[in-house]
Amino acid sequence: MFGQAKEIILAIDGGGTTTRCMAIDSGGLIRGTGGGGPSNHILSPLDVVRASIRQAIEEALHTAHIAPGDVRCISLGTAGIGPNGEGKEIIEEIAREVLSTETVTATGDMVIAFHGAILEGFGVVANAGTGSVVYGVSPSGANRQVGGWGHILGDEGSAYAIALEGLRAGARHFDGRGEFTTLVDRIPEALDVSDYIQVALKIYGLNMAREEIASLARTVDAAAREGDEVSRRILRAAGEELALGVTVAIRELGMEGRDLPVSYIGSVFDSGEFIVRPFAEAILLRYPRVRVLPPKFPAVIGAFFLGARAIGWSISAEMLMNIKRCLLAA
Amino acid sequence: MFGQAKEIILAIDGGGTTTRCMAIDSGGLIRGTGGGGPSNHILSPLDVVRASIRQAIEEALHTAHIAPGDVRCISLGTAGIGPNGEGKEIIEEIAREVLSTETVTATGDMVIAFHGAILEGFGVVANAGTGSVVYGVSPSGANRQVGGWGHILGDEGSAYAIALEGLRAGARHFDGRGEFTTLVDRIPEALDVSDYIQVALKIYGLNMAREEIASLARTVDAAAREGDEVSRRILRAAGEELALGVTVAIRELGMEGRDLPVSYIGSVFDSGEFIVRPFAEAILLRYPRVRVLPPKFPAVIGAFFLGARAIGWSISAEMLMNIKRCLLAA
């Protein structure tokens, strides 16, 4: 579509629910995109992970009209890989099986999120989608993950955690155990059932997936926007939990006194002021020299930057401008 | 074993994990016991529920050397039935399919728990095992359930909730987000892994069952006993949450000014003073005339009492003494 292919990096952001692939050329033009299912190899069987990565890659090549031979590098960040690359060999091997190419490099999803949001250098990024994790890098290149324990051991401040708080606040009010919240009506509405008892029957009866439950975080957000105090408190607490992770990363990386970029990504931060403000305030209260900034690029672009670095492409201003332009057009 | 069978009630306590059956005669002698798998028909397929009830009944008859024809009544309380009998027809039909007998009566597990713990009259019972629910009955016979929303919408104060709090406290300390707790070592020990990262890998990797995770409440209990402040706080908060449910039931049933028995059952209360004391204190602070008492009988005996009432047996002192004696001997 943009002329003849020369050299392509396949950048992949692999999560517990979906996998996203972008075929990006050396000029920063996004030539094609593809999607697949889950690719967290801790939570999903390897053949599922392989199928997800294969589908995402094939779709991206197909929409880009690119032959596999034009791919110079596959750069992946997936949710099953640890902050220091623990488990990356498994994902790299799977990617090589799907498409044999010169350079294949995999890292954790928090690492590509960091490089997308902050680009280069040091700083901290809070990532709150269905799950949550905070990841920081120090000026000396040391890194630190805080959180990222999954829905059973943690994920404080995540969409799933917010949804559970909302569901429970509604149940508490229904029982007479908790103060009034419009969630007691909004949540049944969102799930298209008649009352709160039916909410429980639907969630358990359908064995509703965690991602689907997590989407109720949007209902909490909507209630907060219309003035529901309980929902606002839930979001504020989530923002503060994520801020706690950030301040711990700053402290543990010895960056207390520094001017420092902190960014945030993931669906939870779409709640805007109800999350971002308490998040920023709690960080600044502790570390006033921090700059809390929206992410520069999504995580999948962070994977592209890491791939580019791996094969020696320099990241030019023109490349960045093209990426921005393509993302806006998408 | 106790001589020739005449008339038998099969009393059944059916939960989300196990089903328990006792064959009890008109003298209060427990003639046989049996067990089966889950029988919550909201959470498990009906053929699983049927198999669980069948196995529990057949085992009880077998150990009692009793012929099906000697069974006069089957009285069940199961976790899928609501406090006002919602869904009981399904369970009664299944029981009739398993063993055709004169009288079959089913109710919610919170109802049999109440009648086991308090026997007759009015009062409130808090039930905290893997899940949690509070159930009260007023002098006029009105009833009220508080909680019982399951692990996604609630179950505050349950073993599963305590286990999650413990797991998260360990993860928070591991990260540097939370104060010191011995759980950071005790939980890996309990799961027979080397460190906290391995705890996460094991729980997610094995897709560990909720009941198995809930058993970590015992680890929190053990840590509390050895002085771990974080664990003590977790248990205290659980006791207070359960107490909140009790005070709401008292208020909603209009029993605020009354002398009133409140009891408690379920594995969580085995933590003794760390749970029972804050539970009792929080209730008495609000309603000083409440008497907080250990349960008189387990829930399955409550099912027996309801069955006895259904077929017109009077509950004599001798019957109660025999039941107590049999339970102690078991």
Side-chain angles (χ1 to χ4, degrees):
Chain A
M1 317 226 274
F2 294 87
Q4 202 205 322
K6 283 173 305 214
E7 294 199 304
I8 292 289
I9 291 174
L10 292 176
I12 296 177
D13 175 13
T17 319
T18 56
T19 298
R20 195 176 173 202
C21 177
M22 286 190 177
I24 307 177
D25 71 19
S26 55
L29 294 175
I30 300 171
R31 307 284 293 271
T33 62
S39 53
N40 180 331
H41 71 279
I42 305 288
L43 298 182
S44 296
L46 291 187
D47 52 344
V48 170
V49 173
R50 188 178 296 109
S52 300
I53 291 175
R54 183 186 302 280
Q55 191 191 338
I57 286 180
E58 286 178 354
E59 267 187 34
L61 292 179
H62 182 77
T63 59
H65 302 286
I66 285 171
D70 292 325
V71 174
R72 176 99 188 269
C73 167
I74 307 175
S75 174
L76 311 94
T78 70
I81 302 179
N84 293 303
E86 300 90 340
K88 75 185 177 115
E89 299 77 12
I90 296 167
I91 295 298
E92 288 176 352
E93 194 186 316
I94 286 175
R96 276 183 206 285
E97 283 167 28
V98 171
L99 195 159
S100 169
T101 188
E102 210 177 303
T103 304
V104 174
T105 176
T107 187
D109 59 344
M110 72 295 284
V111 179
I112 61 166
F114 179 89
H115 287 276
I118 299 217
L119 238 70
E120 276 192 290
F122 57 93
V124 181
V125 174
N127 185 347
T130 300
S132 73
V133 62
V134 168
Y135 178 76
V137 176
S138 78
S140 69
N143 71 64
R144 176 91 184 190
Q145 174 179 325
V146 182
W149 290 96
H151 67 287
I152 295 174
L153 283 85
D155 276 359
E156 291 90 348
S158 67
Y160 185 66
I162 290 169
L164 289 196
E165 289 293 329
L167 280 164
R168 289 166 185 184
R172 293 174 80 86
H173 174 62
F174 185 94
D175 275 350
R177 273 182 301 153
E179 67 188 284
F180 175 76
T181 165
T182 57
L183 292 171
V184 80
D185 297 318
R186 280 190 164 275
I187 288 177
E189 248 172 60
L191 294 178
D192 200 23
V193 295
S194 58
D195 65 29
Y196 224 80
I197 301 282
Q198 299 300 320
V199 168
L201 291 176
K202 182 161 188 178
I203 286 176
Y204 296 116
L206 298 183
N207 198 10
M208 203 178 271
R210 196 159 57 254
E211 291 71 26
E212 205 177 340
I213 293 171
S215 74
L216 290 172
R218 286 200 296 266
T219 307
V220 177
D221 177 53
R225 280 175 203 287
E226 295 205 350
D228 185 58
E229 266 309 313
V230 167
S231 298
R232 288 184 179 189
R233 267 209 303 279
I234 290 171
L235 294 178
R236 185 157 56 239
E240 288 169 355
E241 272 291 340
L242 294 163
L244 174 62
V246 169
T247 58
V248 167
I250 291 173
R251 187 190 72 212
E252 297 290 321
L253 288 167
M255 303 194 289
E256 291 100 328
R258 285 191 175 270
D259 287 332
L260 190 78
V262 166
S263 194
Y264 48 85
I265 62 165
S267 61
V268 163
F269 288 102
D270 296 342
S271 290
E273 57 167 332
F274 295 112
I275 286 278
V276 176
R277 189 185 295 175
F279 172 75
E281 283 175 356
I283 296 168
L284 291 170
L285 191 71
R286 190 103 180 223
Y287 300 119
R289 292 174 69 183
V290 161
R291 284 162 288 126
V292 179
L293 304 165
K296 290 202 166 75
F297 293 99
V300 66
I301 301 300
F304 169 74
F305 293 145
L306 290 175
R309 189 185 296 176
I311 58 173
W313 290 359
S314 63
I315 293 165
S316 66
E318 191 200 344
M319 183 193 267
L320 295 180
M321 209 183 59
N322 279 335
I323 293 172
K324 271 231 151 72
R325 203 161 49 81
C326 290
L327 288 173
L328 284 172
Chain B
M1 316 222 275
F2 294 88
Q4 202 205 322
K6 282 173 307 215
E7 294 199 305
I8 292 289
I9 290 174
L10 292 177
I12 295 177
D13 176 13
T17 319
T18 56
T19 298
R20 195 176 173 202
C21 177
M22 286 190 177
I24 307 178
D25 70 19
S26 54
L29 294 175
I30 299 171
R31 307 283 294 270
T33 62
S39 53
N40 180 332
H41 71 278
I42 305 287
L43 298 182
S44 296
L46 291 186
D47 53 344
V48 170
V49 173
R50 188 178 295 110
S52 300
I53 291 175
R54 183 186 301 280
Q55 190 191 339
I57 286 180
E58 286 178 354
E59 266 186 35
L61 292 179
H62 182 77
T63 59
H65 302 286
I66 285 171
D70 293 324
V71 174
R72 175 99 188 269
C73 167
I74 307 175
S75 174
L76 311 94
T78 69
I81 302 179
N84 293 304
E86 300 90 340
K88 75 184 177 115
E89 299 77 13
I90 296 167
I91 296 298
E92 289 176 351
E93 194 186 316
I94 286 175
R96 276 183 207 285
E97 283 168 28
V98 170
L99 195 159
S100 168
T101 189
E102 210 177 302
T103 304
V104 174
T105 176
T107 187
D109 59 344
M110 73 295 283
V111 179
I112 61 166
F114 179 89
H115 286 276
I118 299 218
L119 238 68
E120 276 191 290
F122 57 93
V124 181
V125 173
N127 186 347
T130 301
S132 73
V133 62
V134 168
Y135 178 76
V137 176
S138 78
S140 68
N143 71 64
R144 176 90 185 191
Q145 175 179 325
V146 182
W149 290 96
H151 67 287
I152 295 174
L153 282 86
D155 276 0
E156 292 89 348
S158 68
Y160 185 66
I162 290 168
L164 290 196
E165 289 293 329
L167 281 164
R168 289 166 185 184
R172 293 174 79 87
H173 174 62
F174 185 94
D175 275 349
R177 272 183 301 154
E179 66 188 285
F180 175 75
T181 165
T182 57
L183 292 171
V184 80
D185 297 319
R186 278 190 166 276
I187 289 177
E189 248 173 59
L191 294 178
D192 200 24
V193 295
S194 59
D195 65 29
Y196 224 80
I197 301 282
Q198 299 301 318
V199 168
L201 292 176
K202 182 162 188 177
I203 286 176
Y204 296 116
L206 298 183
N207 197 10
M208 204 179 270
R210 196 159 57 254
E211 291 71 26
E212 205 177 340
I213 293 171
S215 74
L216 289 172
R218 287 200 295 266
T219 307
V220 177
D221 177 54
R225 280 175 202 286
E226 295 204 349
D228 185 58
E229 265 310 313
V230 168
S231 298
R232 288 184 178 189
R233 266 207 305 278
I234 290 171
L235 294 178
R236 186 157 55 239
E240 288 169 355
E241 272 292 340
L242 294 163
L244 174 62
V246 169
T247 58
V248 168
I250 291 173
R251 187 190 72 211
E252 297 290 320
L253 288 167
M255 302 193 290
E256 292 101 328
R258 287 191 173 269
D259 287 332
L260 189 78
V262 165
S263 193
Y264 48 85
I265 62 165
S267 62
V268 163
F269 288 103
D270 296 342
S271 290
E273 57 167 330
F274 295 113
I275 285 278
V276 177
R277 189 185 294 174
F279 172 74
E281 283 175 356
I283 295 168
L284 292 170
L285 191 71
R286 190 104 180 222
Y287 300 119
R289 293 173 69 184
V290 161
R291 283 161 289 125
V292 178
L293 304 166
K296 289 201 167 75
F297 292 99
V300 65
I301 301 300
F304 170 74
F305 293 144
L306 290 175
R309 189 185 295 176
I311 58 173
W313 290 359
S314 63
I315 293 166
S316 66
E318 191 200 345
M319 183 194 267
L320 295 179
M321 209 183 59
N322 279 335
I323 292 172
K324 272 231 151 72
R325 204 161 48 82
C326 290
L327 288 172
L328 284 172

